Every structure is written in structure tokens, then in C-alpha cells.
Amino acid sequence: MLPMGVYCFGDFELNEESRALRLAGREVEAQPLVFDFLAMLLRNQERALSKDELLETLWPGVTVTEASLQRVASLARSILRQGGIETALRNLPRFGYRIYLDSPAAPENKIVPAGEVSKPSSPGSPILLARAAVAARKWREAAASFAEADATDELLTADLEEWALALECMGRPAEAIPLLARAVTEYGVAGERLRAASPAITLAMIHLERGELAAANGWHKRAAQLIDGATESREHGLWCWMGARIKGAEAEPEHALALAEQAFEVGKQLEDPVVESLGLIYRGFFKLCLGETRSGQEDQDFAAALGLSSDVDPIVGGILYCNILWACRNFGDWARANQWTLSYEGWCRGHGLEELTGSCRLHRAEVLGVHGTLKEAETLVRAALDQLALDAPWATGDALRVLGDIHLAAGDFVEAETAYRASHAAGWDPQPGLALLQLEQGQAEAAFSALERSLVGNRWPTLQRRGMVLATLAKVAARTDRLERAKQVIAELESEPHRWPMASIRALTAEAKAELFMREDRLVEAAWELQTACSRWAEIGSPTSCADARLSLAALLIRLGDRTGAELELGTVLAVAKKVDSPRLMRRYDELKGLLAGAKREALG
């Protein structure tokens, strides 16, 4: 008989007197609060412990929030996962926690079929090595050990999901598909229908990322069948979140928003940070599509902070980051994009994500194209294209659009046009970059027609990029002497400041107004607008766009006879052109420098 204070559960042994926690004879490192948390639950395993009781015992005389307790529980669950019994720790919504050792419980995060919780494993066995690697976020080691354990029939059904997660974190989601399908089948055979819904939802997500909407819909409907009436479950919350994504792909933003709202409410009710943050990030995403910009941004920022400060897995963390960056990119919200990129890079390092997904590479490439050098951005976006072919081929068109934007900024118009055409062929709308290229090529009429077509449709990229396209359209309309259309578009942008609060859209609108004023020979007012545009671009840290506005301002100041002002603007442009390595900016600088010299000679003559 074991002495008091020693608890054996699964392959674990916890000794309160020596404060040691062992798994199959090997000591496991546990933070003091995590050790005490597990000891309390084991000591009182016949009942549930309330949050208040746990908080008072673990932090006597100290005021802490429930988030601290959630973090401790999350770390405890990560330790239990190494022994395949993380499902024994159960979160009781709005009450507290309890540990179940005699029979499997309906868990907060993962569950396994009956009879699998205490399946014994020998020390150093592949399955224990695999689980330890998952806990340490060593995804390559985990995948290799799971494969070895599968060959010797050591896997629990829950291990199939962890194996799939490791493959996803390695950027190989296609290899996870058969494992998740096995999990759905095995959970079903064991009578765990609700648990089977989780891998079915993950399958829907992977197929959607691969652009296979029919397969995504099929697995999503299968998950609904498995969930049945359990509408207050974690699985139902995830099903709503996945439904929002599918409806967004089917150009039904209102329906998508409603489903995202349901997912958020389920996650909030269950105090589940994964479901809550996923529902919230997509609620914000579709609010942005429908014009609720401020509210949508607030939802997304809170969702990212909630998820990245909780123990979410790397795939969920990646979804949060990718989602918020999609929105930032579509709105030209580069300052916000850069802030979240820096936060996410640090988070990745702490979660073993050395190989980023294609979408993450793409986001970083576009941010770098704005804040860094163009050559670095091009290298990164080409790497993203290779990775997207594996994990998110649907976004290939967007990556080609970004590549076109980089070539356009550099002044390589032939390569830019090739990339934009390839983007269009891949099913993506390469606007407004293609229209700006056509302006450079003297095809203003073609640019105007293309931008007008880009405003048609109800797909989420069209809705989110509407502000950028409208502002560019106003500029092109003025350039083609469609002054009334330019005024109409500018009025639409300025009459809804709550919908278009981003500095990039305001900068583009100022540039459009300057173009209009120049057509009306109101040169001084045009100069004011270009100064505003320069300030806006500087505000969000977009040196290339700011340099373009300064070039336009310098040309206008030369016309107005303000040679000193023009020299100042050109001096700043020269510094930017060298920093971002843009031959296009250098060519334009040289042209205006020559024009300025000619103006000086004329004045002296």
C-alpha cells in the first residue's frame, strides 16, 4: 500500500513529501504552482474544487485573476499530455476543476475513448517520447516518434490528433489528413461521437485551406451529425467557427458573421480561450467586411491578445496571426501589421515554429515590402509561394499579387505585369496594384475600367479591399478627366470616416484630391493635399509610398516656383530610394532633379 502523499495515476507518480513528479520512472519538471495544483486535485479527487478554493490555497493572501489559474491548469494539462491522460483534468465552466482517474471525462480540450486513459507504456517507449516531444514543442521529433509508435501499435486515438498537429506545425498538413480520418473512425467505433467531431472539423479546415471547398463542406456536415444536440459543447463552438470560414468562402458575409458570433459566445460560456479567440477573430474579420471597422479591429486585437496569452496550440496561434494580418494588409494598416508581426515572431520562437506556414511567410513578406528592403521582401514572398503550394494553395494568387507590388515599387514593370497576370490567372484580383502599373505604362483608361470591375462582388477580399480600391479609383478617375466620378468617390470615402479610419486610405484619398485639384488648376490646394498624404504615409511607416507622394509634391512645387521646397522633398526621396533599393524611385528622382536644375537656369537667365 502506498504511503500518504504518493499518488499513482496512469504512468505518473506524484510524491508530495519529496515534491517529485515522475512519468514511467523519469522525473518530470513541474513549476511549484503546477505541482501544488495537481497535488490538490489528487488529494481531493472525489470532488470538484472551486476556483475560489484553488486561488486561496495556491496564492494565500495575494489577489490574482482567474487568468493565472487558467495558466497553471494549462501547464498541468501539458504535463499530463506527456502520459496520454490530459483528458483526466476537466474544467467545469463557471465553477472550477476536477481530476478524473477512474473513467474518462468530457474534457475541456481533448478526450480519448473509454479504456485508453491508463494504457501502460514502458520507459523510453516511442509513444512516451512522442508525447514528451509534443509537450516540448519539438514537432519533428514528435512526428518521427509517433510514426515509430504506430508501427508497434502503441497509439491511442488522441495520439493521432497530436501526430496530425505535429505534421501541421511542420507545414505538411496533407499528411495529417489520413491520421485525422482514422481518428474520426476510431472515436466513432468507441462510441465517442462528440469527440469524433473535433478531428472532422480539423479536416474541414485543412481542405478549406487547400481550396477544396466541397471536401471542407462534407467534413463540416459530418461534424454537425456527430455533434447532434450538444450545442453547448466545445465541439459546437469550433463547428460554428469553421462554418463562418466556409460561409465567408461562399461569399455570405452576413451568415459568416452570425456563426462567428455563436462561436465566440460558446467559447465565452465555456471559458475556453481557443474557441473564444477563434470566434472573436472571425467576428472582427467579417465586421470589417461589412463596414464595422472600429468594432472589427477591436475584436481582432482582443482575440489575438487572448489567444497568444493562453496555451493555444501553434495552429490556432497561426490562424489568429494570419487573420489579423489579412485584414491589416487589405486595409493598408501597416503600423498595426508591423506591431502584430513582431509579437507573433516572438510567440513562434517559444512554440517551436521554426518553419512558418506559407500564409505567415506571405504576411511577413508584404510587411517587409513596406518597412524593409524590396529585395528581402521578394526573397521571402518567393519562399512563401513554395510553401503555399503545400498548405494553402488558394492564397497563391494573393502571393503573386504581392510579388507584383514589390516589382512595381522597384520599377521592374515587365516582372510586375507578369506577376499580376499570374495572380489573375490563379483566381485573385491583383488590384489596385495592376491599375497603378497601368498608370505608369500610360494606360489610364484600362486602369479605370479594371478598378470599376474590382468593386463588384461580395467576396471577403473584395469587401475588405474596397477602401484601397476606391481611393485608387478616385485618383485614376481624375487622371482620365472623369472629374465628377472622382468627386463622387472622394465624397463616399470622406462621408464614412468611421469605415475608413486607416491612415493609408486617408493618404490615398488625399493623393486623389490632389490629382483632382491639379486638373482644376488649384495647385496650392493640391500641394496641401500632397503634404497631408506624406504625413499619413510617414505615420504608418510606409517609406516607398511616402517617397512617391514627395515626388509628386516636388514636381508640383517646381511648377509653383518653390525650388527650395522641391529640393527638400527630393533630398528625402533620395535617402529613401537608397534605403529600400528602388531603381524606380532613383529614376524619378533623377528626372525631377534635372527639371529642378533647368528651372534654376531659366530663373537665372
Side-chain angles (χ1 to χ4, degrees):
M1 186 171 178
L2 292 172
M4 284 293 293
V6 178
Y7 305 93
C8 292
F9 51 106
D11 291 330
F12 286 98
E13 178 185 289
L14 183 146
N15 188 318
E16 285 192 277
E17 185 176 353
S18 63
R19 293 192 65 80
L21 178 63
R22 293 182 175 83
L23 171 59
R26 173 179 60 86
E27 188 154 351
V28 177
E29 184 179 347
Q31 294 181 13
L33 280 171
V34 176
F35 185 93
D36 293 339
F37 175 76
L38 286 170
M40 279 188 69
L41 294 174
L42 291 166
R43 214 179 301 127
N44 299 278
Q45 57 189 274
E46 75 286 350
R47 67 184 181 92
L49 298 181
S50 71
K51 293 177 184 177
D52 289 342
E53 184 176 356
L54 287 163
L55 288 169
E56 289 171 6
T57 305
L58 295 173
W59 290 276
V62 179
T63 302
V64 296
T65 65
E66 289 184 7
S68 300
L69 180 59
Q70 290 174 3
R71 177 62 179 163
V72 167
S74 180
L75 292 172
R77 186 174 284 107
S78 296
I79 290 174
L80 298 179
R81 187 178 296 126
Q82 298 180 46
I85 63 167
E86 76 275 15
T87 60
L89 177 58
R90 182 180 177 187
N91 172 28
L92 304 176
R94 300 177 301 282
F95 183 75
Y97 294 87
R98 183 176 179 183
I99 195 162
Y100 290 80
L101 300 179
D102 296 326
S103 61
E108 177 190 13
N109 285 326
K110 304 264 184 183
I111 60 179
V112 296
E116 289 195 345
V117 168
S118 59
K119 188 174 180 178
S121 302
S122 59
S125 65
I127 189 59
L128 289 183
L129 292 175
R131 292 167 184 164
V134 168
R137 302 181 176 97
K138 298 178 179 179
W139 306 113
R140 287 186 178 279
E141 293 179 23
S145 295
F146 276 129
E148 190 178 344
D150 192 34
T152 55
D153 195 29
E154 290 185 83
L155 294 186
L156 306 181
T157 308
D159 292 321
L160 292 171
E161 291 185 272
E162 298 289 2
W163 187 1
L165 173 64
L167 290 169
E168 288 182 83
C169 291
M170 292 166 59
R172 291 155 51 186
E175 297 176 39
I177 292 176
L179 301 176
L180 292 164
R182 276 175 60 186
V184 174
T185 301
E186 290 184 18
Y187 280 131
V189 169
E192 297 282 355
R193 288 177 59 83
L194 182 61
R195 187 63 192 91
S198 184
I201 292 165
T202 305
L203 281 164
M205 179 191 72
I206 292 175
H207 282 295
L208 184 65
E209 290 288 344
R210 291 169 58 84
E212 299 160 356
L213 186 56
N217 258 316
W219 282 110
H220 189 245
K221 289 176 180 175
R222 174 62 175 142
Q225 185 184 52
L226 293 166
I227 293 169
D228 197 15
T231 56
E232 295 184 0
S233 65
R234 183 176 197 266
E235 289 74 12
H236 179 67
L238 292 173
W239 182 87
C240 290
W241 158 71
M242 195 64 239
R245 295 192 62 180
I246 290 173
K247 289 303 175 184
E250 293 175 340
E252 296 185 37
E254 292 86 358
H255 194 170
L257 177 59
L259 285 168
E261 177 70 40
Q262 288 183 50
F264 168 66
E265 291 298 335
V266 171
K268 186 177 178 181
Q269 188 77 5
L270 295 177
E271 298 179 346
D272 187 317
V274 170
V275 180
E276 186 177 356
S277 60
L278 288 174
L280 192 58
I281 199 84
Y282 274 91
R283 188 178 79 174
F285 186 83
F286 291 110
K287 280 182 178 179
L288 291 173
C289 290
L290 297 171
E292 300 177 43
T293 304
R294 287 292 188 197
S295 178
Q297 287 179 324
E298 289 172 1
D299 278 356
Q300 289 200 319
D301 289 339
F302 177 51
L306 171 65
L308 299 184
S309 64
S310 305
D311 189 39
V312 301
D313 65 57
I315 299 304
V316 173
I319 290 170
L320 297 174
Y321 169 74
C322 287
N323 189 287
I324 201 170
L325 261 289
W326 275 113
C328 288
R329 292 169 56 222
N330 282 332
F331 280 100
D333 197 351
W334 299 117
R336 186 162 160 258
N338 194 46
Q339 291 169 26
W340 281 116
T341 295
L342 294 174
S343 297
Y344 184 68
E345 285 177 349
W347 188 87
C348 283
R349 286 191 291 271
H351 286 73
L353 285 184
E354 298 176 2
E355 299 181 17
L356 298 178
T357 66
S359 294
C360 289
R361 290 178 191 271
L362 174 58
H363 300 326
R364 290 179 64 183
E366 192 163 16
V367 171
L368 190 60
V370 174
H371 290 279
T373 70
L374 299 177
K375 287 183 179 178
E376 289 176 307
E378 181 183 354
T379 300
L380 199 54
V381 78
R382 291 194 183 280
L385 277 166
D386 293 337
Q387 187 64 34
L388 286 170
L390 298 175
D391 57 29
W394 66 272
T396 298
D398 192 36
L400 289 165
R401 175 192 67 79
V402 174
L403 186 60
D405 289 347
I406 292 169
H407 285 307
L408 175 60
D412 193 342
F413 297 155
V414 174
E415 290 293 332
E417 183 170 359
T418 300
Y420 286 140
R421 288 184 178 276
S423 173
H424 188 270
W428 203 267
D429 183 8
Q431 300 296 355
L434 178 56
L436 294 173
L437 171 64
Q438 290 169 325
L439 277 183
E440 292 279 359
Q441 296 172 326
Q443 303 172 27
E445 290 293 333
F448 177 81
S449 298
L451 289 168
E452 288 281 27
R453 289 195 301 272
S454 289
L455 295 172
V456 178
N458 209 34
R459 294 179 64 242
W460 64 262
T462 302
L463 295 174
Q464 285 202 358
R465 295 188 71 81
R466 183 175 176 83
M468 301 287 284
V469 173
L470 277 173
T472 309
L473 175 63
K475 186 175 181 178
V476 176
R479 188 78 60 88
T480 57
D481 289 320
R482 292 178 171 86
L483 304 189
E484 289 306 314
R485 178 58 173 148
K487 291 176 182 178
Q488 179 187 19
V489 174
I490 290 170
E492 179 178 345
L493 289 166
E494 293 189 328
S495 66
E496 296 184 89
H498 61 283
R499 183 172 185 180
W500 318 116
M502 287 68 72
S504 58
I505 295 177
R506 293 187 178 186
L508 285 169
T509 304
E511 290 181 11
K513 291 173 72 175
E515 190 75 38
L516 178 63
F517 290 154
M518 282 189 280
R519 292 286 166 171
E520 296 177 337
D521 203 29
R522 297 157 61 183
L523 302 187
V524 174
E525 292 170 83
W528 292 344
E529 293 297 337
L530 287 172
Q531 285 179 318
T532 298
C534 291
S535 298
R536 295 294 187 188
W537 288 125
E539 178 184 328
I540 60 174
S542 181
T544 305
S545 298
C546 189
D548 279 325
R550 290 188 185 280
L551 285 168
S552 297
L553 179 57
L556 185 54
L557 292 175
I558 292 172
R559 288 177 62 185
L560 289 168
D562 186 353
R563 294 187 298 277
T564 303
E567 284 179 342
L568 286 172
E569 299 300 338
L570 289 176
T572 303
V573 169
L574 178 61
V576 172
K578 290 179 178 179
K579 180 181 178 182
V580 303
D581 194 16
S582 172
R584 179 183 64 84
L585 290 177
M586 286 301 298
R587 288 196 299 267
R588 184 65 175 138
Y589 165 82
D590 289 337
E591 290 170 6
L592 288 178
K593 194 70 173 174
L595 184 61
L596 182 59
K600 281 185 177 181
R601 285 194 297 271
E602 184 179 340
L604 289 172

